[in-house]
Amino acid sequence: PVDLMVFRSPLEGVARPRLLCLEIGPRSTSLQHRRSSEVESVAFAQREGVRVEGFLAPPASIASEDPTPDCSGWAWGEGTQRRAKRMALQGLTITGALAALVDMRQAIDEERLWTCRGSKDPYRFTQDFLGPAEYAELALLSAIRELASLHRACGDIPMPQRWLGSSLGLIVEAGVAPPRQGAAGIDPVSWVSARVKLRLFGWTRSRMSCKL
């Protein structure tokens, strides 16, 4: 017999995944800010308690804030560029990060060009698909439900756990527009909920306990 360990990709079932990676917890956040002063670290942790650690496939508004847009790898080095981009992301508030996560204007515009190509009816797309504001609202509600479910699950754990340096990933579909109610018999709420996921990862420094 052969023992196999199979890992399912957190991006499974998503055509163009957008991943927002967050570090959660005042203590975990302050420990990560070792290079800044102790006062700044504590103040940041108490104010937010959440820090943006990474952003996969961000919207155009985030990409335009690249701190090294005119610096190539040979000039600064790829490591320096990654650190510079990471510092800019860590300056985002949780409100700004969530707003960027559900910014679906670019995704909807691409879908509109593809589906309405050759059509002279300006309302054809909105009859069959949700607009960016509607999609963003449903995606945000689904993310809140996922976070609330995680909060309840953590409260049900009988033993305290030590999660140090663990990250929370919010994943949304940023490449396909949701269909409206009645289109091909698909409910838009169910469609969006199936493509908004929450995943926990990064357990190298955490300690899990299941004994009373």
Side-chain angles (χ1 to χ4, degrees):
V2 179
D3 293 332
L4 295 178
M5 181 177 293
V6 180
F7 293 92
R8 295 184 63 177
S9 171
L11 309 181
E12 179 185 7
V14 183
R16 184 185 297 175
R18 175 178 292 170
L19 168 62
L20 175 64
C21 180
L22 302 173
E23 286 274 352
I24 295 183
R27 178 174 176 79
S28 178
T29 301
S30 61
L31 287 175
Q32 295 295 329
H33 282 255
R34 296 183 180 91
R35 295 186 179 182
S36 59
S37 67
E38 182 179 356
V39 175
E40 292 176 351
S41 300
V42 174
F44 183 89
Q46 291 179 346
R47 184 177 70 250
E48 291 291 337
V50 179
R51 190 183 77 245
V52 178
E53 188 67 16
F55 215 139
L56 174 65
S61 58
I62 296 296
S64 63
E65 298 176 3
D66 184 356
T68 59
D70 56 344
C71 301
S72 57
W74 62 267
W76 288 88
E78 295 182 357
T80 302
Q81 292 191 65
R82 286 195 297 268
R83 286 193 295 270
K85 294 178 181 180
R86 185 178 178 184
M87 290 177 62
L89 288 176
Q90 290 176 352
L92 287 174
T93 63
I94 185 59
T95 303
L98 289 176
L101 177 69
V102 298
D103 184 357
M104 299 299 175
R105 290 172 293 179
Q106 185 178 3
I108 297 298
D109 288 342
E110 293 179 0
E111 187 81 2
R112 189 194 306 271
L113 291 175
W114 178 258
T115 56
C116 297
R117 184 172 53 182
S119 175
K120 297 182 179 180
D121 185 4
Y123 301 103
R124 177 186 172 185
F125 180 83
T126 57
Q127 293 173 358
D128 298 330
F129 298 94
L130 299 182
E134 297 170 307
Y135 188 7
E137 180 180 0
L138 291 181
L140 187 58
L141 289 174
S142 297
I144 292 174
R145 283 194 292 267
E146 291 286 334
L147 290 169
S149 177
L150 174 63
H151 185 270
R152 289 193 297 268
C154 291
D156 293 338
I157 298 177
M159 287 293 296
Q161 308 294 321
R162 182 187 179 187
W163 290 2
L164 182 60
S166 300
S167 300
L168 183 147
L170 285 170
I171 305 167
V172 299
E173 171 64 79
V176 184
R180 285 197 176 275
Q181 180 73 33
I186 301 176
D187 179 16
V189 177
S190 301
W191 190 96
V192 174
S193 298
R195 289 162 177 81
V196 176
K197 305 178 182 181
L198 184 147
R199 295 293 184 269
L200 296 172
F201 48 90
W203 305 98
T204 55
R205 291 184 293 166
S206 299
R207 295 182 180 178
M208 310 297 293
S209 176
C210 59
K211 296 182 179 181
L212 294 175

